[in-house]
Amino acid sequence: MKDLTITGTYTDLYQLTMAQVYFLTGKNNDEAVFDYFFRKLPYEGGYTVFAGLGTFLDILEDLHFTRADIDYLKGIGLNEQFVNSLESFRFRGTIYAAREGEVVFPNEPVLRLQGNMMEAQIVETLLLNILNFQSLIATKAARMRTVAGDRTLSDFGLRRAQGTGGYHATRAAIVGGFDSTSNVKAALDFGIPAVGTMAHSFIQSYDDELAAFRDFAIHRPENCILLVDTYDTLKSGIPNAITVAKEMHEHSQQLLGVRLDSGDLAYLSKKTRKMLDEAGLHEVKITASNQLDEWVIKSLLDQQAPIDIFGVGTSLVTGPPDAALDGVYKLAYAHRKPRIKLSENLKKITLPDKKQVYRMINGEGNFFGADVITLADENVPDIMYHPVEPDKSLEIKGLTSEPLLHKVMDQGKIVFTPSLKEIAAYCQERLNMLPDEHKRFYYPHIYKVGLSEKLRHKRDEMKKYYKK
Amino acid sequence: MKDLTITGTYTDLYQLTMAQVYFLTGKNNDEAVFDYFFRKLPYEGGYTVFAGLGTFLDILEDLHFTRADIDYLKGIGLNEQFVNSLESFRFRGTIYAAREGEVVFPNEPVLRLQGNMMEAQIVETLLLNILNFQSLIATKAARMRTVAGDRTLSDFGLRRAQGTGGYHATRAAIVGGFDSTSNVKAALDFGIPAVGTMAHSFIQSYDDELAAFRDFAIHRPENCILLVDTYDTLKSGIPNAITVAKEMHEHSQQLLGVRLDSGDLAYLSKKTRKMLDEAGLHEVKITASNQLDEWVIKSLLDQQAPIDIFGVGTSLVTGPPDAALDGVYKLAYAHRKPRIKLSENLKKITLPDKKQVYRMINGEGNFFGADVITLADENVPDIMYHPVEPDKSLEIKGLTSEPLLHKVMDQGKIVFTPSLKEIAAYCQERLNMLPDEHKRFYYPHIYKVGLSEKLRHKRDEMKKYYKK
């Protein structure tokens, strides 16, 4: 099969045609600064979890064009000198970014990339592809974590994932707060606990359910979870599981749990808990799967469903009803000048120049609910301004502030490498600092993102210049 | 970075724990037969395009466990003898499938896999992961093709794809009827025409738009498409593009097109066409992008928008509003017996035994609108029965019939290898044979899938047996 390793051609063709023009006009080594940001929060929610940074930087550090890439590009009409120059292509830029796992908001730069025009352009597609997707899935996972409390959340999604996208979906799920995965390859590569139960086919392959349960318990007693809905959950599956659990006890083993995969999960989990408890099997856990998402999990727990482990598939790894985070990568500085993109829609005018973002922290050490975007060399201002409504401002004087963007890559070398565990812990720490009103599923409170006076002035002056 | 090549661990852990039990109980070499089918048509539409088969078979033919896979599996508590046996694992099963690009319908087997219990179980996740996703995207692409007529459809989606899922999304888009892609790696690996225009950043990096257009036309005159909405489409972008087109004429070159990426695409394309035509530039094409899907394309064309090329991103490569095709893989035969899975929901009871599907063709050579599922060794029956309503039947006597399932892999070796071009052509051929009433976006006519008398009888007898 084709090897899916990402190389320089993992990009849109226009990145290369533009790079060719920069190359042929001698502009390829001029400094360019791009911002990565998104405009719309997924799920009509109150926040986004920033994820994928580690993956992106890992790929970027090694990114190069292979012999096959070079030969192909020569064959599709690109300039030969330019294509030859790609043989020695390495990304040597510098990147400032929010920490992976950070809670972030619309229109603020989440990442700032500084490099030469050519390299900054070529890596755009890769950056957007990785960060947009993992941030979407980490956000979905975080929403489930906020309603699941300390119950176990497991990713069961690979079979319904968008092809190999499932691999990084699992990583992002862990960033957002999931505990484990059924995806063995992701577990291996990312050091995530791998978990699994059994499928209906295993039970169907036996003439009766009890014999199937027994064989499984004998030959795979560790972490044994029995699937109880192949024929009839309450009349067959649970009684047979209880029989096997008692037999395991006689061998000093313990049934870890049962799994419900159809029917009404609230009703069945209550009945199941009662039957297990009456058999003295208080320690046997209940796993539920089948069409779960954050709304269903919340609703099941609101109804006191005694479920210990949620196995989440499609909705976790593909993130519906949203299909993508709308993250974009916009030029802010090039050829020694700040740059701007205009639009009829005031909200879509970009913010020029190199920028920083400061998060305001209140007296209790929680987020105040306001981030301010400044020029990169400015101090934190006392007042921040609404990005589009000229008369709206907010005093932020006296609050503690933290810069969001930190150097994570220096001239092509990664300089900050937290483990996935640390990233996931950071995400929960930051979500805990985010007031509850921003975590509501319905009409969450809007987190404010404003501009410094200096940045606003620069944007407005440039707008005037280009409008004339 | 981590290499994304698919190996044996690209599976759910439970496939391996079940395989361990088959191994330890000596059942691993018994024959098993699984069916791949789906239950619900995406998009409330009238059909699904089957895609991903070539990718799946390619991967399957080489699938093996690496040293790293083996070491990892030993470290997570699986039986050592069993894990050692995976060192020599190769898929040696036989697969019957609908041709890739075939138009298929709910509840009929689209693929039948025959192998030993162990191999059939281990490859389930890979099969579902590849086929569910590519079939979803090929269906989405086909829907756009049915409304776009012979206009050009280009995939621009990599930046918003679900991570590396974008790679196979591009392949699937071609199966469903797309012409080209911006995704260079997919173009290279799958032999698809690569296309591209320019980004706003290119224009922003210049002090004025005309200079940017000029440089681009000089240094990349082939297939030159200018993006005209950075500052003001009708007042700046189009006049500057016209200037450059005329300059190109003087050098015997030709501007291929302009691209509209914001604003009302119907209004702007009409104004643009008029301005281009008045300048004598009848041959300059109009490309449109920005939030397109099959409904928007249809609506633009219903309003006579003179758009020649549609660039489709997010909606094509992620397939919303559906996130996944609900394809499943169900055991139909094992240990020398037909097998069944029951359910409270009659529709979810599986069909036992080895099966074939026949498609009925009418006198004009088009689809009659009925497929019948039979036992594998049966002749085409004269009557087919509704799968769940016992009194409903349909006479299919006298119609031509075609078997849908063909051998595509024989004991682990691929035996049918159409090119992507042939697959895409087959898809259009089959869509042309599908009557229009099944292609409507709203309330399409339901294509009938029925059972032979013998199959229905076998299912009902087994149901009775397990219900007692």
Side-chain angles (χ1 to χ4, degrees), chain B residues 377-397:
Chain B
D377 52 9
E378 245 190 292
N379 291 326
V380 186
D382 291 342
I383 296 174
M384 73 178 206
Y385 294 87
H386 192 283
V388 295
E389 296 182 41
D391 299 333
K392 277 195 180 170
S393 66
L394 181 72
E395 187 168 319
I396 49 177
K397 198 174 165 180

Side-chain angles (χ1 to χ4, degrees), chain A residues 281-449:
Chain A
L281 298 166
H282 305 286
E283 73 290 352
V284 173
K285 291 185 180 353
I286 298 177
T287 298
S289 52
N290 195 24
Q291 310 288 346
L292 297 176
D293 63 21
E294 65 269 47
W295 290 281
V296 178
I297 293 172
K298 181 171 189 318
S299 166
L300 288 169
L301 294 175
D302 283 349
Q303 298 198 319
Q304 277 85 46
I307 296 168
D308 306 291
I309 301 168
F310 292 94
V312 190
T314 316
S315 167
L316 171 68
V317 298
T318 63
D322 283 287
L325 183 72
D326 73 348
V328 293
Y329 179 81
K330 292 291 177 189
L331 186 69
Y333 186 95
H335 308 309
R336 278 163 254 120
K337 281 187 191 169
R339 302 286 169 172
I340 195 166
K341 181 193 172 294
L342 302 186
S343 170
E344 296 300 310
N345 183 345
L346 203 61
K347 284 184 192 165
K348 293 186 87 174
I349 294 178
T350 62
L351 298 171
D353 218 340
K354 296 175 196 171
K355 297 175 289 295
Q356 177 57 280
V357 181
Y358 290 95
R359 174 148 303 167
M360 300 300 135
I361 309 289
N362 69 17
E364 288 87 51
N366 290 323
F367 297 164
F368 175 69
D371 288 356
V372 57
I373 313 172
T374 69
L375 294 170
D377 53 8
E378 244 190 293
N379 291 325
V380 185
D382 292 341
I383 296 175
M384 73 178 205
Y385 293 88
H386 192 282
V388 294
E389 296 183 39
D391 299 333
K392 276 196 180 171
S393 66
L394 181 71
E395 187 167 317
I396 49 176
K397 198 173 167 180
L399 292 161
T400 309
S401 68
E402 292 177 351
L404 278 201
L405 304 183
H406 307 277
K407 193 188 277 188
V408 292
M409 178 170 266
D410 187 12
Q411 298 181 64
K413 292 287 153 218
I414 297 172
V415 294
F416 184 58
T417 53
S419 70
L420 186 57
K421 255 199 185 116
E422 289 166 336
I423 292 167
Y426 184 73
C427 178
Q428 290 310 311
E429 182 191 313
R430 302 298 276 186
L431 279 171
N432 287 337
M433 293 170 74
L434 180 70
D436 281 344
E437 56 263 34
H438 299 287
K439 295 179 200 160
R440 249 196 336 261
F441 286 175
Y442 297 99
Y443 300 102
H445 190 49
I446 294 173
Y447 191 103
K448 294 181 180 63
V449 174

Side-chain angles (χ1 to χ4, degrees), chain B residues 133-197:
Chain B
F133 179 51
Q134 288 199 41
S135 297
L136 180 78
I137 301 306
T139 306
K140 190 76 174 173
R143 290 164 62 82
M144 297 189 203
R145 174 50 68 205
T146 60
V147 294
D150 57 2
R151 292 168 191 83
T152 299
L153 291 173
S154 271
D155 157 36
F156 284 5
L158 186 57
R159 64 190 51 206
R160 297 281 172 80
Q162 298 215 336
T164 55
Y167 177 70
H168 286 130
T170 297
R171 182 184 182 282
I174 300 298
V175 173
F178 265 57
D179 298 293
S180 51
T181 184
S182 68
N183 179 337
V184 184
K185 188 164 173 58
L188 189 172
D189 285 352
F190 301 126
I192 304 165
V195 295
T197 61

Side-chain angles (χ1 to χ4, degrees), chain B residues 436-448:
Chain B
D436 282 346
E437 55 264 35
H438 299 288
K439 295 178 199 161
R440 247 195 339 258
F441 286 175
Y442 298 99
Y443 300 101
H445 190 49
I446 293 173
Y447 192 102
K448 293 180 180 63

Side-chain angles (χ1 to χ4, degrees), chain B residues 54 57-58 61 407-408 413-420 422-423:
Chain B
L57 296 177
D58 267 359
E61 202 174 37
K407 193 186 277 188
V408 293
K413 291 287 155 220
I414 297 172
V415 294
F416 183 58
T417 54
S419 70
L420 185 57
E422 288 166 336
I423 293 168

